[in-house]
Amino acid sequence: MKPIPLLGMATHLTKLAPEAAEQEIRLMCDAGITAIRTGFLWDTLEPEPGRFRFDRLDELVDRLNAAGLEILGTIARTPVWAGGGQSDGRFRFHPPRKPEDFARFAARLAGRYRGRVGAWEIWNEPNSNNFWYPQADAGAYMALLHAAYRAIKAAAPEVPVLHGGIACCREHRINFGFMEQLFERGLSDCCDIINLHPYSGPNVPETEFDATFDRFAEMMRRHRCAKPVWLTELGTPVHSRFVPTETEQAFHLARHWLTAMKRPEIERLYWYDFRDDGDDPANFEYNFGIIAADFRLKPAYHACREMNRQLAGAEYRGESAIPGGGRLIRFERPDDTLFLLWSDARQTRLLRGIGFTLTETTMTGLPCPLFRKQDTIDLTIGPEPVQLLLAKADADRFQQALLHSTALIGI
């Protein structure tokens, strides 16, 4: 049975004051989060050749280790001295003039934090002009990746290395064109994990998800790549261009995770991001967090915490289509069965032969009293996933009753 993919959080912990970082760490632990992604920023850590500033980073890594949070470190951003001397404000995103300089720095990080950082990611979204300035270049990026991979493996051979997460494009959740260029240039030989950022924009998470990953799985087979896949960024901001309410953001988080469950290649996903980057509602980049900039907990935080609680120790047992449109995902726990259900169009279904006990809650753990009459129940589902908990002995009967249910038109 496929393990449940791990849900981690993308963070900006290395940019924060220690007090703010500590508050975020505490809240992540309270939500049951066990893995984070954060930047190990070359321009900050080696501002001049050979002069390193590791003191605060050492303290942060120690604190994350003590909290039981596995670290994915993204090595990125170029100091002025290594990038050709650009000082135009975007110098951090110019690729380094010499890949060997970057590789030496990556090896120093890998050696210093061996046994303390769980995996390394080489750059962020190198297919984006925003991060590989002024023009994305697959060949130049692969030169950097080859050098960094060899250097890290020499310093810490057991630590997995990811290529930089590949940004989606306007047409697809995966930039197939750029990935093809990377595979043609030997990607499989210089990374241990394939890394994607498959944002879905304002669309619900399931939109073209299966078709997209079927196509990507075929690309991997064609290039004889059998490596696991991590989604180190995906998320939905609360914004008029995306989802207008925090409740909708919460069900996007839940459905992203649930939709990834059945893909055999996906091992983990990291929600972008944990805390809002600012408090301007008009700037969508500021509003991806599951907590607000002032640390207020959003519904997505409560959904993350509840799902971590419910799925701890559970086994994923598959997905079924619900009549009328909708999805049912089944999990077996040691003592009972858990179903999660949702439908884009709100509907109520009449289930017969339900003479047993089941409990319904929202994805944030609030009770939802079921309307029952003798051995029938009215079950209402909509875009927000609901959880149904029942005894294992009754699970098959419930699933069959739902799959053979009829739509309830009137009360």
Side-chain angles (χ1 to χ4, degrees), residues 336-395:
D336 46 34
T337 298
L338 176 70
F339 290 101
L340 282 102
L341 311 85
W342 71 92
S343 173
D344 285 332
R346 187 167 295 278
Q347 56 173 303
T348 299
R349 307 205 64 85
L350 180 63
L351 280 66
R352 304 179 187 279
I354 309 296
F356 45 83
T357 299
L358 64 158
T359 303
E360 182 183 13
T361 57
T362 69
M363 64 181 173
T364 59
L366 298 176
C368 297
L370 288 162
F371 182 79
R372 179 186 290 272
K373 187 174 181 180
Q374 296 179 340
D375 65 347
T376 66
I377 62 168
D378 298 350
L379 178 64
T380 298
I381 55 175
E384 177 184 350
V386 294
Q387 303 174 135
L388 290 172
L389 192 62
L390 62 162
K392 284 185 178 181
D394 300 321

Side-chain angles (χ1 to χ4, degrees), residues 48 52 115-116 123 144 155 189 204 210 220 228 243 252 255 270 283 287-288 296 330 351 373:
E48 298 174 12
F52 299 97
R116 300 160 70 195
W123 214 261
L144 183 81
D189 297 326
V204 293
D210 288 331
M220 291 178 65
V243 296
H252 269 241
R255 287 166 57 170
Y270 291 78
N283 185 336
N287 293 282
F288 278 91
R296 175 181 57 84
R330 179 171 174 167
L351 280 66
K373 187 174 181 180

Side-chain angles (χ1 to χ4, degrees), residues 242-378:
F242 295 89
V243 296
T245 70
E246 292 181 353
T247 297
E248 289 179 77
Q249 182 197 40
F251 75 64
H252 269 241
L253 180 146
R255 287 166 57 170
H256 267 112
W257 193 8
L258 292 166
T259 300
M261 296 282 178
K262 67 179 178 180
R263 298 301 310 191
E265 63 271 28
I266 296 176
E267 279 193 349
R268 60 175 67 184
L269 55 159
Y270 291 78
W271 183 263
Y272 184 87
D273 57 342
F274 182 64
R275 179 174 163 224
D276 284 346
D277 294 339
D279 56 10
D280 179 2
N283 185 336
F284 77 88
E285 290 282 2
Y286 284 4
N287 293 282
F288 278 91
I290 66 171
I291 67 172
D294 64 1
F295 295 95
R296 175 181 57 84
L297 307 182
K298 298 184 186 179
Y301 177 89
H302 296 292
C304 177
R305 181 170 59 187
E306 174 67 9
M307 290 185 67
N308 274 323
R309 185 182 71 83
Q310 292 281 17
L311 297 181
E315 291 185 357
Y316 171 78
R317 290 299 179 89
E319 176 185 305
S320 302
I322 298 173
R327 299 188 180 209
L328 173 149
I329 297 184
R330 179 171 174 167
F331 300 91
E332 297 293 346
R333 307 196 311 180
D335 300 317
D336 46 34
T337 298
L338 176 70
F339 290 101
L340 282 102
L341 311 85
W342 71 92
S343 173
D344 285 332
R346 187 167 295 278
Q347 56 173 303
T348 299
R349 307 205 64 85
L350 180 63
L351 280 66
R352 304 179 187 279
I354 309 296
F356 45 83
T357 299
L358 64 158
T359 303
E360 182 183 13
T361 57
T362 69
M363 64 181 173
T364 59
L366 298 176
C368 297
L370 288 162
F371 182 79
R372 179 186 290 272
K373 187 174 181 180
Q374 296 179 340
D375 65 347
T376 66
I377 62 168
D378 298 350

Side-chain angles (χ1 to χ4, degrees), residues 59 87 93 101 109 118 143 146 218 301-302 310 334 353 360 378 380:
E59 293 173 1
S87 57
F93 306 111
D101 289 336
L109 288 178
H146 274 291
E218 174 56 33
Y301 177 89
H302 296 292
Q310 292 281 17
E360 182 183 13
D378 298 350
T380 298

